[in-house]
Amino acid sequence: QAKNFFLSCLDISPLDDPSLISSNFKVLSFLVKIFSEMNAYEDVMKYLDLMRRVLSMMEKEKSISLAEVSFSRGQMMTYRGDFVSAQKFYEEAVKVSLTVAHADDELHCKSLSALAMTHYLLRDFEKSLELLKSLTLLLRNQKRSYLSGSMYLLLGNVYVDLKEYDLASSSFVKARKILCSNTCWNLAPYISLGQASSYKRMGEFNKALFVLENALNSMDIFTFKKGYALLRDEISDVTDHCVDLYLDRQRKTVTEKRLGIIDFKHRFILLEILFLLAQNPGVPYDKEKLASKIWGDEYNPLIHDKLIYTSVSRLRKLLEPKSGKRKYILRVKDGYIFNPSVKVRFQQEGEFHSFKGPKGLDFSSPI
């Protein structure tokens, strides 16, 4: 119904009408979000191109402020996945929206929120957190529920990546209270994804599964196709809660069934060895193969013998039980193998596993 309403708005509002340009841009932005949620990629790209045309007209007609131009340019770059360019436009919007000539409290808060999201997408979590804390102070004296809810949703995701799971959980609860009470059109599954991600990183797979299945059972799967696909992907990822090792290459962490999270952030070589062996269980890797695959060198016993022995020994100390038989990395006559009987799950890479459309959309905007 929302899609049909916005399409009818475009039918009666010529794109080149100067008095309607700004409204048309907002309508097109909502259509991008709606078709994105419907996994209608061709329609998403169609309306992104129309947004670009309308924005050019807005600049030509000077129908919006300089701060709004910068913010809108940032939106366009974000939707197209160019986060570095988006960051520059949002920084300009934050700066200009504070000047006397262009003062706009709401736009300033929106720009700050968008800038925090951009830093999050660029994986600069500390900067994103710094911006969100500033935004928290600004929103205390403003009644902007959707901005507050969006802020807490992003804050929760940032805390998850910073491994501050209690703070993440608290932020998701706040986001749900604020945005669900204001009937945000598609927020619930994304909060659930964030909460489940937090549990998953803690190794609490049963709790993650409970949150995801509740979200899936309470949503309209025919309308919210992308949210449904994301939930299904995550459920698939945590269904086997009996996994022995959960490997997350992107965040350089490994969750062992009994030991919990093991941080490999400063142990790049050990992580590479683990992934090489775990991705090929039962396949032996001798010293020649390890020297080539891990260090990119031709095997030299004077260099690599001690290096390989020391690296595998350190890796085992991180993963293996302190007593008893080796469980994960086994020594065979042809080298080292990863135990094929061990249950391993790899974190699925990519922000939207089942969707190839634009990233960084502000899902918390109400319609």
Side-chain angles (χ1 to χ4, degrees), residues 160 165-166 168-169 172 193-203:
V160 167
Y165 300 117
D166 288 340
S169 178
F172 289 131
L193 284 165
Q195 290 176 316
S197 178
S198 180
Y199 284 131
K200 188 170 65 175
R201 305 278 171 75
M202 296 166 67

Side-chain angles (χ1 to χ4, degrees), residues 64-97:
I64 59 175
S65 68
L66 180 59
E68 289 176 298
V69 169
S70 297
F71 178 77
S72 299
R73 283 288 179 197
Q75 278 187 300
M76 291 298 301
M77 293 300 104
T78 301
Y79 291 176
R80 293 188 176 280
D82 184 354
F83 305 134
V84 174
S85 296
Q87 177 187 332
K88 295 176 182 177
F89 284 116
Y90 289 138
E91 286 174 346
E92 181 67 16
V94 169
K95 180 181 176 181
V96 176
S97 61

